[in-house]
Structures are given as C-alpha cells and as structure tokens.
Amino acid sequence: EKDGYKHFMLKEIFEQPRTIEDTFRGRIYPDEGRVYIEEVKLKLKEEYIKNISNIYIVACGTSYHSGLVSKFLFESFAKIPTEVDIASEFRYRDVILDEKTLVVVISQSGETADTLAALRLAKSKGCQTLAVCNVVGSSISREAMYVIYTHCGPEIGVASTKAFTGQVTALYVLALDWAYKREALTIKELKKYLKELWEIPLKINEFLKNAESVHDIAKVFANKRDFLYLGRHINYPVALEGALKIKEISYIHAEGYAAGEMKHGPIALIDKSMPIVAIVIKGRIYEKIISNIEEAKARGGTIIAVADQSDKEIGNKSNYVIYVPETDEFVSPLMTVIPLQLLAYYISLILGCDVDQPRNLAKSVTVE
Ligand code: F6R
C-alpha cells in the first residue's frame, strides 16, 4: 500500500503532482478561460458571489496555513476583503459576522472539533458557509452549505502534505472563478493564471527527480536544535508550514517568520548555529527578502534558500540553494512547499523518528 515508498509521508509527497491535477481536473480549461466548480448541494449563485462583502477563513494547523495562502488569492484576484483565523480562537471571539459574510472552513478530515464548532457558530449567525474538505461525507462537508472537495485520496501520514497542496489548488480555482465573475480579472489574466496552475504538476515532477539534493542538505543540518523559516507575501504561510512540518516529525524547534519582522526581535536569535530556510522566489518582494537574508547572513546565520532555477544571484547570497522550477508568485506555494516537506521528512528519517506516526499526535483531532 506504500507503493514501494518507505513511509506514507514520502509516498504522499511524491503523489502531489497527481493529487493537484486530480483536484483541478474537470474544473479548469485554461485555453478557453473557463472554470467549472461542481458544488455539492446548493449552487452558489453568481449574484451572491458578486455581493460577498468579506470572507472569514477558519481552520487549524496545516489547513490554517492553506487558508493564509488563499487570503492573498481572494484579495489580489477577487478583491474580496479576507481574514483568516485559527478555529479554536475564532469560536471564542466576538467576531462580527452577518449574512453577507462568507465563512470558509478548511479541513482535510472534515472532523476537526474546533473547525466544526466554528462552522456551526457561523451558521448560527446567518453566514453562508463553504467547506473545503478531502474526506467525502465527513461531518464538516455534511454541515456546510457548500462544499468543494479536494481529490487527494486518503492521507495516512499524520503530517499533512498532499492535503495542503490540494486545498491551495481548490482555493486558487475558486478565487479565480470569483475574480472573473466579479469582473476583477480580465479573460486574458484568467487564462494566464489557469495556465500557471495547469503547469504546476509537471514542474513538481521535474523537481522531485532531484529530491536527493534535499536529502544531502538534511544530512548537514539534522543535528541542529533550532531552525528559522523565512518567507514574505504569499510564501510567508509556506514558511509557517515548513516550520510546522519539521516540528511535528523531527521534534526540532522551528519558527516561521515573515522576513520583514526579523529586525523587530527574532534577529537576536541568529548565530553560527542557526540554519535559516528562506523562500526567495521572484515576485514583488524579491529585493526585500534578499536584503532580509543578507542581514541574517551578516550575523553568522547559515542560509538555505529555496529559489528559482533561473536565479543567478542567489548562490552568492546564501550558503545552500534548493532550486525549484520557476512559477508565477501566486501559484508558487504549491512549488515551494515541496522542498520544505522533503527537508522535514529526511531530517526525521536521519534522526530515526517515527515519520508517519509522530509522538503525541493524532491524524484527526476530534476533541477540543
Ligand atoms: C499538520 C497536521 C495538522 C492538521 C490539523 C487540521 O501536519 O496534520 O496540523 O492540519 O489538525 O486537520 P484537518 O485539516 O483534518 O482539519
């Protein structure tokens, strides 16, 4: 059942080109600039989509991180004000909600207790609710008014991998569809962004051929006690996700930070023993994050950059580089998260940890 892979997690990492494609297949047609989203149950009416005043995205853990990624998509593509919250916080705050608010809950299992409670709260306030789920017929998918499924197949490894990329894919498609319906994107832009998604599985496949290069880096850093993960803009949530992966399966302390926040405190942590994984792909904040890593390097930190293949400069500015195929920045989290998943996997493997069943963790958190 592991298809020859040593662990479910590794199998699930390598499945992602296919699970991403399974999630967008039949939903997007880049040449024609068309998006079809077969909603289960009621259909979201075009009139409603045009009138959404704001979105609250609510989830836990890795699903929360995919929510943070999609905030950029709903804002930049669809121009809808979007907030993202952790379910266990959302449910105990006095959130201001009304019928024009759409509450999106994201859950691989569809059974997470806090996320389910947040969904019920949103319904009780009269909000429309949409769930992004992987498990068909799960509690959350049954109780939400609308559902969009990720088609990832069962995720067995406790550390979530393909569910994250499936969620980002589904939300990317949704944000593009709404952007076009709300006349926030032209057909030309829509086609361009659909094509970017279409090409992702091939690019991930290409990268995965060099997975061993990440293994080599893992060997250098497996004995470290702390890691910093830096990103900005749409790759800031990916930094959080990379740090979460390494924490949960290697038991190494790691923190994800928005790189621009470094000088407001965390830079004090940096010394020669601190590896810093930085996502520095091309995009609107490229120059900014370059200067952030230069500051970190000047203080003795060891920089492991995740960068575009075409980046000729990055080799001089960092100590190690993991090159990934070039992508548009808005689709890049689907690419940049892959090396971070692999890095956590290989470090866990080297340390002899239980990769698929890390201590103290359960696959589905059905109690508060
Ligand atoms: C991290 C992980 C957890 C889950 C979280 C939410 O690798 O697996 O953080 O992402 O418990 O679970 P779902 O998505 O099932 O609601």
Side-chain angles (χ1 to χ4, degrees):
E1 64 211 78
K2 288 187 206 143
D3 289 344
Y5 289 98
K6 196 161 182 198
H7 295 99
F8 281 109
M9 184 182 178
L10 190 63
K11 170 178 175 260
E12 288 162 2
I13 291 173
F14 273 78
E15 271 176 343
Q16 290 175 105
R18 205 195 68 225
T19 51
I20 290 171
E21 197 171 319
D22 286 347
T23 300
F24 71 59
R25 187 188 301 118
R27 287 174 169 157
I28 68 166
Y29 297 85
D31 292 339
E32 295 104 80
R34 300 196 78 96
V35 181
Y36 296 99
I37 299 167
E38 83 304 349
E39 311 294 347
V40 183
K41 301 182 271 186
L42 296 165
K43 266 204 183 308
L44 264 174
K45 303 229 173 12
E46 205 160 320
E47 196 50 37
Y48 172 71
I49 292 167
K50 282 192 176 141
N51 286 316
I52 297 170
S53 65
N54 64 315
I55 297 178
Y56 260 99
I57 301 177
V58 187
C60 303
T62 289
S63 298
Y64 168 69
H65 296 154
S66 72
L68 289 173
V69 169
S70 71
K71 170 184 165 79
F72 290 85
L73 305 172
F74 287 115
E75 288 180 348
S76 295
F77 291 161
K79 308 280 185 267
I80 306 175
T82 305
E83 293 300 327
V84 193
D85 211 346
I86 296 166
S88 56
E89 286 296 314
F90 176 89
R91 62 183 290 198
Y92 293 116
R93 271 189 317 120
D94 296 316
V95 187
I96 317 297
L97 300 167
D98 63 30
E99 316 80 65
K100 287 183 118 188
T101 305
L102 173 68
V103 174
V104 176
V105 292
I106 309 174
S107 177
Q108 186 284 130
S109 62
E111 303 296 345
T112 301
D114 282 318
T115 310
L116 182 59
L119 169 66
R120 289 179 178 157
L121 176 72
K123 282 172 80 177
S124 77
K125 301 267 183 189
C127 304
Q128 305 263 348
T129 56
L130 182 147
V132 178
C133 284
N134 192 43
V135 177
V136 177
S138 53
S139 305
I140 289 172
S141 66
R142 276 186 280 114
E143 292 195 25
M145 297 164 83
Y146 313 106
V147 187
I148 174 164
Y149 283 113
T150 51
H151 298 300
C152 297
E155 190 180 60
I156 311 287
V158 165
S160 189
T161 52
K162 62 178 179 173
F164 174 82
T165 48
Q167 290 160 352
V168 170
T169 300
L171 290 158
Y172 183 93
V173 170
L174 206 63
L176 281 179
D177 183 48
W178 294 358
Y180 188 61
K181 288 186 170 138
R182 290 166 65 97
E183 295 168 33
L185 275 191
T186 64
I187 185 82
K188 195 166 159 235
E189 289 166 322
L190 177 65
K191 287 181 182 175
K192 167 184 151 31
Y193 287 118
L194 290 176
K195 193 147 182 289
E196 291 289 344
L197 178 61
W198 191 266
E199 289 170 353
I200 279 286
L202 274 172
K203 291 180 181 177
I204 297 176
N205 257 327
E206 191 187 320
F207 172 76
L208 286 172
K209 288 181 195 145
N210 298 321
E212 275 305 307
S213 64
V214 182
H215 198 171
D216 292 340
I217 291 177
K219 287 174 194 156
V220 179
F221 295 99
N223 62 345
K224 296 290 181 187
R225 291 195 47 208
D226 308 274
F227 274 77
L228 270 181
Y229 283 73
L230 303 182
R232 290 187 76 143
H233 191 249
I234 201 164
N235 277 297
Y236 163 47
V238 178
L240 298 178
E241 175 59 8
L244 176 61
K245 286 293 86 102
I246 205 155
K247 271 184 267 206
E248 61 182 336
I249 61 169
S250 315
Y251 320 136
I252 293 174
H253 169 243
E255 287 194 62
Y257 257 101
E261 270 291 290
M262 289 303 290
K263 55 168 71 74
H264 301 286
I267 202 162
L269 287 168
I270 295 178
D271 62 13
K272 289 205 165 48
S273 61
M274 178 71 88
I276 300 156
V277 180
I279 306 161
V280 268
I281 62 138
K282 293 277 163 63
R284 66 174 82 182
I285 43 65
Y286 178 76
E287 304 296 337
K288 300 286 173 195
I289 191 154
I290 287 287
S291 79
N292 298 142
I293 65 170
E294 282 176 330
E295 284 159 12
K297 193 157 180 266
R299 283 155 184 87
T302 307
I303 311 289
I304 306 158
V306 174
D308 288 320
Q309 244 153 30
S310 58
D311 192 330
K312 302 278 183 283
E313 301 295 312
I314 192 71
N316 305 324
K317 304 204 151 80
S318 49
N319 304 85
Y320 295 83
V321 188
I322 303 172
Y323 288 103
V324 293
E326 202 158 335
T327 53
D328 181 86
E329 62 182 321
F330 285 108
V331 83
S332 66
L334 293 172
M335 185 73 245
T336 53
V337 76
I338 311 283
L340 306 192
Q341 295 169 344
L342 281 170
L343 184 64
Y345 172 78
Y346 287 125
I347 290 181
S348 174
L349 188 72
I350 293 164
L351 296 177
C353 301
D354 189 343
V355 174
D356 284 333
Q357 298 250 279
R359 70 187 181 203
N360 310 341
L361 293 176
K363 183 66 191 161
S364 143
V365 185
T366 53
V367 290
E368 185 174 335

